[in-house]
Amino acid sequence: MFHSYINNNNEKIKLLVLVFALSSCGGGGGGGSDALIIPNPTIVFSGDLSAVYIGNSFTLTWSSTNASSCSASGGWDGSKSTSGSEDVVITSEGTTTFSITCTNSSGSDSSSVSVVGEVLYSYPDWDSHSLVLDDIQTRHQPYDIKINIEEIWFKTLSIPESSFSTTVDTYTFEELQSGGIGYGSHLAFEDRTYVFHSNWEGFNMPENGRAAALVYDNDRNLTDFIYKKIPGGTHQYPLLNSDGSYQVLFPGVDEGELKNGEPGDATSWVFNPMDNTFSEVPINVGCHGSNKFDYEQDGDEDVICQSWGGEFNWKPIIFKNKGLLDFEAVMVESNGVPGHMSASAFYDNDFLNIVYADTHGIDLSYNIAEFSNVIAKYFPNDLSKIVDVIELPMPFFEKDIFKDIPIVPNWENSVGLSHDVKSHPIDYDNDGDIDIIIASMIWAQGHEYGFSIMQFLTNKDGIYVDETEQRLFNWSLFSPGTHSMHFNDFNGDGYLDIYAEDSGCNWYGATGNPIIPDDYLCNGRLAINDGTGHFNVIIETNQLNQIDYIRENFSRWAPFPGFSPLLGMTATKELFWSYIRHDYDATETSGGDVIYNGNVDVITVKLSNKLSTGPNGIDPSLRGEPGFNEFYYLLHNDNARESVIAGEYENGLEHYIAAGKELGYKSNAGDN
């Protein structure tokens, strides 16, 4: 070893340094200096949110001083850098705490951040819903009352009842207030929204007819109830004038009063929303099925209706809009194509096309089957003669499968089994041409078979094809009818949706065991458009009959207990529904007679959040995917739909986030 030491200069140096160090540390009893002191670490730790929907992430940010290492615990784990940020996905409901500890040789410091995980999705009760529908189906064999009613089209698309809230306002009038048949419409301004209603009280009580305007503020609170006693009306049409103003036409109704045993007519009225007044329109007419269009194509919207009774008996009439409170009656000759119940109109190239529904006694020269719905073509400047007639596909309930349903005596001989009460020309598949939707029903004996449908007739290069069962989803035939259809973009995606309503409810539900719940007997259904002309019902009276006040105080057997919920939508697309319920004295205290008093209850049901296109109508941007459309995605992506059905993903949006986006699946109809 001595030999190695002598000949290894490096080792020699090391030995000398060691000796020096030992002597300096007091080996000989000499003096020294203090050791180096390292401060304890400190941490600054924060999160960017206090609450976040499950499935979304929030950002943790931290920085430390004097730390040599950091580690995570609680809602996350693992080693972390001494400073940084990290996005963390929240996977559970309730409070999750995230902690971080940073250390050095002297000690450690810890800090924590908490975040609340909130449930984004809330689903309606499919099990209970399907049991009721199965019961209705069992009672109506061999007829299939279900059109595309499956869990996949209900659970992640329907709006749960918990998303609605309800208020009640009571008004007392000196004059008699009673119920009757009637439908609604709405008109939204920046500072208020109107919901309109009109009614008739049977054939011999025109004095009980009423027009009403319910006025709501931007918070959807009822602020005024304006009414006018009129001979009666069923439909109202908010009409845009060419100067940008609006007026609301209440055409005279055919069924308010029988005259010499024949259908009657009534004075028409118009409402001016600028001063909240009603004015008489000197046009007596008996309007039944009707619709609005722009007759002169001048920016003033007009109304066409099929008239019974009075001067225009069995003839269509156009209310030509000449400006505020000014209308002219224009009669249309139907030339052997008597539209018995309904008329609507649209322009196609050089022709004015009038859709006649529920026709009766079509001239044989047209070679068209009896009870067909047709398009009659006119030159716009000559409504005295028909240029051509196009037969539309067979009315929905004229199919052989329904032929044995018992109906009101002599009714079938008049209009056929399929009672086609309303038509609406519209480009529902967004391909640039006009399609047609026809609302049909069976007026069945005893109401046991009170079926109704919206029949979708798709325009394919000028040929109309019945695609009802391919385009309508989550629809039950069992309902009283669809006399009124409202088209608007209710969920803000740029496509027209449909609100289908009717007066009253189906009486058949009071019989049988179990009794069919009241909620399933009425028609007030909102169907959303996927963007390609497919419609799925997401809101119906099951969700809208919110409070015990409705269910307990207005039994189905009260005389005219009310109407279908009337839809309103504010200028900012916030939805609400209005019920008008007319009070009356109990029959047991009035000798079995019904005595109406002057009280009217207005029940307002509000959708808590704006309707959007995500699962159950939520805004998909809450999951970071604005523009995603749940209905479109499930309908057009088979693999996604099957995965949701199998329970692999709870809805289409979660499938899109996890897999569909990477696979290149389109999230909406406009996704390129």
Side-chain angles (χ1 to χ4, degrees), residues 144-436:
D144 189 357
I145 61 98
K146 301 177 181 178
I147 297 185
N148 295 317
I149 295 181
E150 301 173 33
E151 183 175 5
I152 189 64
W153 307 123
F154 177 86
K155 186 176 179 180
T156 75
L157 290 165
S158 294
I159 312 301
E161 186 173 328
S162 59
S163 298
F164 301 85
S165 61
T166 307
T167 57
V168 180
D169 296 276
T170 300
Y171 287 80
T172 301
F173 299 97
E174 294 182 359
E175 296 180 278
L176 172 71
Q177 294 292 301
S178 59
I181 295 176
Y183 316 104
S185 60
H186 75 276
L187 177 62
F189 294 95
E190 289 186 359
D191 61 341
R192 66 196 186 281
T193 300
Y194 293 89
V195 175
F196 300 101
H197 175 263
S198 54
N199 76 317
W200 56 270
E201 183 65 39
F203 291 109
N204 296 307
M205 293 185 289
E207 70 276 6
N208 291 341
R210 187 193 67 253
L214 306 177
V215 189
Y216 288 83
D217 63 20
N218 285 342
D219 293 324
R220 297 170 290 172
N221 298 315
L222 183 63
T223 61
D224 204 358
F225 188 134
I226 305 164
Y227 80 99
K228 181 71 177 181
K229 302 291 285 187
I230 65 174
T234 52
H235 297 279
Q236 329 80 36
Y237 293 99
L239 302 178
L240 176 63
N241 303 316
S242 58
D243 63 0
S245 65
Y246 282 89
Q247 57 187 330
V248 185
L249 180 67
F250 292 72
V253 67
D254 62 312
E255 295 177 290
E257 181 181 13
L258 289 178
K259 296 182 177 181
N260 299 320
E262 296 292 330
D265 60 345
T267 302
S268 303
W269 291 82
V270 64
F271 178 80
N272 183 0
M274 295 299 102
D275 60 9
N276 290 343
T277 59
F278 284 92
S279 300
E280 187 173 348
V281 177
I283 299 176
N284 278 46
V285 66
C287 282
H288 205 83
S290 52
N291 218 324
K292 67 180 182 182
F293 76 118
D294 188 355
Y295 170 50
E296 298 175 287
Q297 303 184 80
D298 58 356
D300 290 317
E301 291 182 321
D302 314 284
V303 170
I304 183 172
C305 77
Q306 177 63 34
S307 179
W308 289 10
E311 177 184 358
F312 306 103
N313 196 14
W314 308 114
K315 302 288 186 181
I317 177 180
I318 297 173
F319 285 82
K320 186 169 73 173
N321 182 358
K322 301 172 65 176
L324 188 62
L325 311 182
D326 189 8
F327 292 87
E328 176 187 343
V330 179
M331 190 171 69
V332 182
E333 292 289 344
S334 52
N335 300 116
V337 186
H340 194 72
M341 288 292 176
S342 178
S344 61
F346 66 100
Y347 281 95
D348 180 23
N349 297 321
D350 296 328
F351 295 102
L352 174 62
N353 293 342
I354 297 181
V355 181
Y356 290 105
D358 252 19
T359 59
H360 171 60
I362 297 180
D363 194 305
L364 295 176
S365 65
Y366 291 114
N367 195 31
I368 290 175
E370 181 75 347
F371 308 134
S372 296
N373 299 319
V374 302
I375 297 175
K377 292 182 173 293
Y378 298 81
F379 291 121
N381 59 354
D382 185 4
L383 301 181
S384 66
K385 60 182 179 182
I386 296 174
V387 178
D388 193 15
V389 178
I390 298 174
E391 183 177 353
L392 293 172
M394 179 185 297
F396 191 88
F397 293 117
E398 296 296 337
K399 300 173 183 178
D400 285 344
I401 188 175
F402 301 108
K403 66 182 181 179
D404 295 327
I405 291 179
I407 63 172
V408 176
N410 300 320
W411 182 258
E412 186 173 1
N413 293 331
S414 172
V415 299
L417 182 62
S418 190
H419 186 19
D420 308 310
V421 297
K422 186 85 167 178
S423 63
H424 196 103
I426 181 176
D427 180 16
Y428 56 69
D429 57 1
N430 303 297
D431 65 352
D433 55 26
I434 297 296
D435 313 294
I436 299 172

